[in-house]
Amino acid sequence: MNLTSRETWTLIHGMVLGALFLLGFAGGLEALYSLRPNLLSPVGVHDRLHRARIGVVAMAVAAWGTVLTGTWVVYPWYRERTPGSPRSILLADPELQDWHHFGMEWKEHIAWMSPILATVVAFIVIYYGTGLARHDRVRRTTIALFVLAFTFAAVAGLFGALITKAAPLT
Amino acid sequence: MATNSHTDVLGEEYHAAQKPEGPVSAAILAGGVGALTLGVLTTLAEASTGIRDFLNVYDPVGPLSGKTIGAVVVWLIVWVVLHVIFRDRAFESRTALTVALVLIALGVLGTFPTFFQLFAPAE
């Protein structure tokens, strides 16, 4: 049941921050979707906005935490020039090479679009406040960016899980 | 108590209504520029060993270190500049989203391995 330092960091990168990311997305999306004055009382608008702020900020923080730990802590172990590193294991097997050439190459880049867009959404929600309830166009635009930020992270997370299955970091 | 809450909310709503949409659009456009920058740097690093070496600011991470730092720096600078330009203006966020989606799509294309590997020097 002991975890190595590398396994612990991988856990923080993928599971701990990933769970926070998912919670932030689910809470933020629900709050943004229902932030409509025709469905809510003024107190309800205030409550939804509060939840939206918590959700979008949590997702942005989790997204930054995920890419920073992934790029600067876990990735150097992945690409070590040693025979036992995941990169070396994948490249040594013709049947697994594409997990690096396509999967990892895309994941390591596209993941960074998520925190950028999540931060944009957090700014809009904090700056515009209850204006989001008054201006449906801005609210829908914010939701679109929020879902896009989630989609990029989901692509990266999916490849991360599959690559870890093919060549675990130990 | 409920009356106070209503008053607070209405007051905040009124205040929010005075806020221009420009800063929202500036943030959206800057996000698109950040995504595009990441795509451009990724493709350039594949096409040129000189640029790849330049972006290799931290060896254990490789060129990804420079690509991500570069994209974040460009994104933040562009955001500040656009915010100053649009802070008092009414710039529709829907228009900004349309432009940003095009920039993001180009950024995704630039980070797509099948695309950027086309620019790799022949071995």
Side-chain angles (χ1 to χ4, degrees):
Chain A
M1 282 300 287
N2 289 335
L3 293 172
T4 64
S5 169
R6 293 183 176 195
E7 287 169 336
T8 303
W9 274 107
T10 306
L11 202 66
I12 292 169
H13 167 68
M15 295 295 291
V16 176
L17 292 167
L20 179 64
F21 183 88
L22 284 173
L23 281 172
F25 175 71
L29 183 64
E30 186 280 330
L32 283 173
Y33 180 79
S34 60
L35 192 58
R36 286 179 283 183
N38 57 331
L39 298 178
L40 302 167
S41 66
V43 176
V45 169
H46 186 70
D47 174 68
R48 290 297 197 287
L49 181 62
H50 181 63
R51 281 159 47 186
R53 282 177 177 146
I54 292 173
V56 298
V57 170
M59 185 169 127
V61 169
W64 279 111
T66 304
V67 296
L68 288 173
T69 56
T71 300
W72 297 93
V73 180
V74 177
Y75 185 58
W77 296 328
Y78 167 88
R79 69 190 296 270
E80 273 180 342
R81 303 285 179 185
T82 57
S85 73
R87 181 179 184 274
S88 300
I89 291 170
L90 295 176
L91 292 178
D93 186 340
E95 290 195 1
L96 298 178
Q97 279 183 354
D98 280 348
W99 284 118
H100 172 76
H101 287 311
F102 183 82
M104 193 65 193
E105 290 279 13
W106 200 26
K107 163 194 162 56
E108 72 193 36
H109 295 109
I110 199 167
W112 276 85
M113 294 188 187
S114 180
I116 290 174
L117 296 182
T119 304
V120 169
V121 169
F123 169 80
I124 294 171
V125 172
I126 291 169
Y127 166 79
Y128 219 52
T130 48
L132 285 169
R134 295 168 60 94
H135 299 287
D136 199 50
R137 184 184 67 238
V138 181
R139 186 182 64 85
R140 287 176 182 274
T141 297
T142 306
I143 289 174
L145 288 169
F146 198 50
V147 171
L148 201 56
F150 173 80
T151 304
F152 289 141
V155 169
L158 176 64
F159 276 113
L162 294 173
I163 291 166
T164 301
K165 188 171 181 295
L169 184 64
T170 54
Chain B
M1 194 65 188
T3 305
N4 285 341
S5 297
H6 279 242
T7 306
D8 290 346
V9 169
L10 291 174
E12 194 178 343
E13 277 189 320
Y14 176 79
H15 182 66
Q18 308 307 309
K19 288 184 178 178
E21 209 170 322
V24 172
S25 299
I28 294 169
L29 288 172
V33 172
L36 176 67
T37 305
L38 185 63
V40 168
L41 290 177
T42 301
T43 302
L44 287 177
E46 193 71 15
S48 161
T49 51
I51 293 174
R52 172 183 280 261
D53 292 343
F54 175 74
L55 292 171
N56 189 16
V57 295
Y58 180 59
D59 205 44
V61 177
L64 183 63
S65 53
K67 294 174 201 171
T68 54
I69 290 171
V72 169
V73 168
V74 169
W75 162 54
L76 292 175
I77 290 173
V78 169
W79 190 354
V80 169
V81 171
L82 290 177
H83 184 86
V84 170
I85 293 171
F86 293 127
R87 65 183 164 188
D88 295 322
R89 295 188 192 176
F91 187 120
E92 266 203 21
S93 57
R94 182 65 60 85
T95 307
L97 177 67
T98 303
V99 175
L101 287 178
V102 172
L103 298 176
I104 291 167
L106 292 171
V108 171
L109 179 67
T111 64
F112 196 69
T114 310
F115 174 78
F116 71 70
Q117 286 163 2
L118 292 173
F119 298 88
E123 293 179 7

